[in-house]
mmCIF file of all heavy atoms in Angstrom:
data_model
loop_
_atom_site.group_PDB
_atom_site.id
_atom_site.type_symbol
_atom_site.label_atom_id
_atom_site.label_comp_id
_atom_site.label_asym_id
_atom_site.label_seq_id
_atom_site.Cartn_x
_atom_site.Cartn_y
_atom_site.Cartn_z
ATOM 1 N N SER L 10 0.370 156.555 -65.253
ATOM 2 C CA SER L 10 1.163 156.372 -66.486
ATOM 3 C C SER L 10 2.632 156.528 -66.220
ATOM 4 O O SER L 10 3.480 155.917 -66.833
ATOM 5 C CB SER L 10 0.758 157.244 -67.628
ATOM 6 O OG SER L 10 1.537 158.462 -67.595
ATOM 7 N N THR L 62 40.238 143.826 -96.653
ATOM 8 C CA THR L 62 39.737 142.418 -97.030
ATOM 9 C C THR L 62 40.873 141.605 -97.300
ATOM 10 O O THR L 62 41.720 141.866 -98.229
ATOM 11 C CB THR L 62 38.804 142.451 -98.161
ATOM 12 O OG1 THR L 62 37.653 143.388 -97.930
ATOM 13 C CG2 THR L 62 38.288 141.153 -98.550
ATOM 14 N N ILE L 71 34.059 137.408 -104.751
ATOM 15 C CA ILE L 71 33.843 137.458 -106.202
ATOM 16 C C ILE L 71 33.330 136.107 -106.743
ATOM 17 O O ILE L 71 32.511 136.066 -107.516
ATOM 18 C CB ILE L 71 35.073 137.873 -106.832
ATOM 19 C CG1 ILE L 71 35.310 139.428 -106.552
ATOM 20 C CG2 ILE L 71 35.030 137.729 -108.423
ATOM 21 C CD1 ILE L 71 36.563 140.065 -107.288
ATOM 22 N N MET L 115 31.971 155.256 -82.388
ATOM 23 C CA MET L 115 31.582 154.957 -83.792
ATOM 24 C C MET L 115 31.956 156.171 -84.626
ATOM 25 O O MET L 115 32.361 156.118 -85.801
ATOM 26 C CB MET L 115 30.003 154.742 -83.824
ATOM 27 C CG MET L 115 29.714 153.326 -83.433
ATOM 28 S SD MET L 115 27.949 153.007 -83.729
ATOM 29 C CE MET L 115 27.786 151.490 -82.834
ATOM 30 N N GLU L 172 13.802 163.844 -62.224
ATOM 31 C CA GLU L 172 12.715 163.200 -62.867
ATOM 32 C C GLU L 172 11.269 163.493 -62.314
ATOM 33 O O GLU L 172 10.372 163.714 -63.064
ATOM 34 C CB GLU L 172 12.945 161.704 -62.971
ATOM 35 C CG GLU L 172 12.330 160.969 -64.163
ATOM 36 C CD GLU L 172 12.801 161.583 -65.452
ATOM 37 O OE1 GLU L 172 13.917 162.115 -65.521
ATOM 38 O OE2 GLU L 172 11.978 161.463 -66.430
ATOM 39 N N ASP L 255 35.981 146.560 -109.472
ATOM 40 C CA ASP L 255 36.834 147.557 -108.799
ATOM 41 C C ASP L 255 36.536 147.694 -107.353
ATOM 42 O O ASP L 255 35.551 147.140 -106.872
ATOM 43 C CB ASP L 255 36.742 148.926 -109.533
ATOM 44 C CG ASP L 255 35.337 149.374 -109.564
ATOM 45 O OD1 ASP L 255 34.722 149.576 -108.502
ATOM 46 O OD2 ASP L 255 34.739 149.612 -110.715
ATOM 47 N N THR L 256 37.411 148.467 -106.659
ATOM 48 C CA THR L 256 37.240 148.682 -105.265
ATOM 49 C C THR L 256 36.348 149.853 -104.916
ATOM 50 O O THR L 256 36.314 150.242 -103.794
ATOM 51 C CB THR L 256 38.588 148.787 -104.545
ATOM 52 O OG1 THR L 256 39.233 149.914 -105.105
ATOM 53 C CG2 THR L 256 39.477 147.535 -104.812
ATOM 54 N N LEU L 258 33.277 152.013 -104.210
ATOM 55 C CA LEU L 258 31.887 151.780 -103.876
ATOM 56 C C LEU L 258 31.024 152.893 -104.505
ATOM 57 O O LEU L 258 29.942 152.672 -104.770
ATOM 58 C CB LEU L 258 31.733 151.798 -102.363
ATOM 59 C CG LEU L 258 32.021 150.482 -101.697
ATOM 60 C CD1 LEU L 258 31.835 150.552 -100.205
ATOM 61 C CD2 LEU L 258 31.204 149.364 -102.256
ATOM 62 N N ALA L 392 45.040 147.754 -115.654
ATOM 63 C CA ALA L 392 43.875 148.440 -116.288
ATOM 64 C C ALA L 392 43.283 149.563 -115.426
ATOM 65 O O ALA L 392 42.093 149.762 -115.425
ATOM 66 C CB ALA L 392 42.720 147.352 -116.543
ATOM 67 N N VAL L 397 45.241 158.837 -112.574
ATOM 68 C CA VAL L 397 45.745 160.275 -112.469
ATOM 69 C C VAL L 397 47.216 160.371 -112.261
ATOM 70 O O VAL L 397 47.719 161.488 -112.286
ATOM 71 C CB VAL L 397 45.026 161.002 -111.250
ATOM 72 C CG1 VAL L 397 43.541 161.221 -111.578
ATOM 73 C CG2 VAL L 397 45.151 160.266 -109.976
ATOM 74 N N GLU L 429 30.599 127.766 -123.259
ATOM 75 C CA GLU L 429 29.311 128.618 -122.952
ATOM 76 C C GLU L 429 28.078 127.928 -123.274
ATOM 77 O O GLU L 429 27.029 128.167 -122.539
ATOM 78 C CB GLU L 429 29.506 129.935 -123.728
ATOM 79 C CG GLU L 429 30.730 130.709 -123.185
ATOM 80 C CD GLU L 429 31.076 131.904 -124.078
ATOM 81 O OE1 GLU L 429 30.256 132.288 -124.956
ATOM 82 O OE2 GLU L 429 32.236 132.340 -124.023
ATOM 83 N N GLY L 445 29.872 125.339 -127.970
ATOM 84 C CA GLY L 445 30.642 126.457 -128.329
ATOM 85 C C GLY L 445 31.112 127.329 -127.175
ATOM 86 O O GLY L 445 30.535 127.187 -126.042
ATOM 87 N N SER L 450 44.129 134.023 -124.912
ATOM 88 C CA SER L 450 45.482 133.883 -124.482
ATOM 89 C C SER L 450 46.189 135.184 -125.041
ATOM 90 O O SER L 450 46.972 135.128 -125.925
ATOM 91 C CB SER L 450 46.071 132.679 -125.137
ATOM 92 O OG SER L 450 47.427 132.563 -124.873
ATOM 93 N N LEU L 472 37.616 126.644 -135.186
ATOM 94 C CA LEU L 472 37.881 127.987 -134.610
ATOM 95 C C LEU L 472 37.284 129.069 -135.514
ATOM 96 O O LEU L 472 37.269 128.960 -136.706
ATOM 97 C CB LEU L 472 39.440 128.255 -134.683
ATOM 98 C CG LEU L 472 40.224 127.558 -133.527
ATOM 99 C CD1 LEU L 472 41.731 127.758 -133.793
ATOM 100 C CD2 LEU L 472 39.806 128.065 -132.199
ATOM 101 N N ILE L 479 45.468 139.815 -129.454
ATOM 102 C CA ILE L 479 45.113 140.499 -128.232
ATOM 103 C C ILE L 479 43.624 140.467 -127.978
ATOM 104 O O ILE L 479 43.182 141.140 -127.079
ATOM 105 C CB ILE L 479 45.733 141.953 -128.090
ATOM 106 C CG1 ILE L 479 45.329 142.731 -129.284
ATOM 107 C CG2 ILE L 479 47.215 141.830 -128.012
ATOM 108 C CD1 ILE L 479 45.786 144.237 -129.234
ATOM 109 N N GLY L 523 43.310 125.439 -115.182
ATOM 110 C CA GLY L 523 42.643 124.126 -115.216
ATOM 111 C C GLY L 523 41.640 124.063 -116.439
ATOM 112 O O GLY L 523 41.288 125.055 -117.032
#
Side-chain angles (χ1 to χ4, degrees):
S10 89
T62 302
I71 291 183
M115 283 189 192
E172 210 56 27
D255 55 58
T256 60
L258 278 182
V397 292
E429 294 166 19
S450 179
L472 284 175
I479 56 177

